[in-house]
Amino acid sequence: MSLFRPLHHRTLLSHFSRHLLRLQHPFYLKMSFHDYPNIQTPASCYVDFCLVPVGTGNVSVANEVAEVQRLLKASGLKHTMHSAGTTVEGPWDEVMKVIGQAHAVVHQEGAKRVQTSMRAGTRTDKTQTAEDKVKKVEGILSKD
């Protein structure tokens, strides 16, 4: 017969694990919990996003993609379109703003609903563009 009921045992482990993680996790050691409104966004980022208009009645999204590409060009941000989305690079706030504007443009084109999947990356140790990342891998492959 067990000394602990299963639920009680899980509760104790969960409570203990939370406190143990809090002591060991560097995030808790470096950050004040009292100044959230003043946390700055990262200086730069790259975001790969795929914007999908929903309910347009058309299986093609080429017109909407073209309009988003016009917006990105006008923004002045570095961007690269690929077959499943677009990568945008620049200051965090500007990149997030232009993705929001992309939603607005697609809504203006008649889409009642827009869904976007995004992957964002930031670095603090060095400046690296998406093109730099691709060139590094291509350099490795060129040695094959």
Side-chain angles (χ1 to χ4, degrees):
M1 184 171 136
S2 172
L3 295 175
F4 296 102
R5 293 181 306 194
L7 180 61
H8 181 252
H9 180 69
R10 278 195 302 262
T11 304
L12 280 176
L13 277 177
S14 174
H15 182 73
F16 177 75
S17 297
R18 265 197 316 270
H19 290 289
L20 186 61
L21 285 173
R22 191 172 290 146
L23 293 174
Q24 292 178 343
H25 197 287
F27 171 83
Y28 292 101
L29 300 176
K30 293 180 182 178
M31 183 174 199
S32 166
F33 289 99
H34 305 292
D35 201 21
Y36 288 128
N38 293 314
I39 295 173
Q40 298 294 312
T41 56
S44 64
C45 69
Y46 64 89
V47 174
D48 188 62
F49 75 103
C50 177
L51 186 144
V52 180
V54 179
T56 62
N58 191 348
V59 295
S60 174
V61 295
N63 289 328
E64 291 87 348
V65 170
E67 196 59 39
V68 169
Q69 293 303 308
R70 289 183 189 105
L71 168 71
L72 292 169
K73 183 177 181 181
S75 77
L77 294 171
K78 185 172 182 179
H79 61 283
T80 308
M81 182 178 65
H82 53 84
S83 65
T86 300
T87 302
V88 184
E89 302 173 59
W92 179 277
D93 294 338
E94 290 180 36
V95 169
M96 293 303 166
K97 179 181 177 182
V98 80
I99 292 171
Q101 290 172 326
H103 271 249
V105 163
V106 173
H107 282 304
Q108 288 172 359
E109 293 293 309
K112 301 289 183 213
R113 185 173 169 200
V114 179
Q115 293 290 122
T116 295
S117 299
M118 295 189 301
R119 292 181 304 159
T122 58
R123 288 193 79 146
T124 58
D125 60 332
K126 66 180 183 177
T127 301
Q128 184 182 42
T129 66
E131 184 180 1
D132 294 337
K133 293 172 70 169
V134 171
K135 283 182 180 179
K136 184 168 185 170
V137 174
E138 288 173 343
I140 293 168
L141 291 171
S142 71
K143 296 174 186 173
D144 290 353

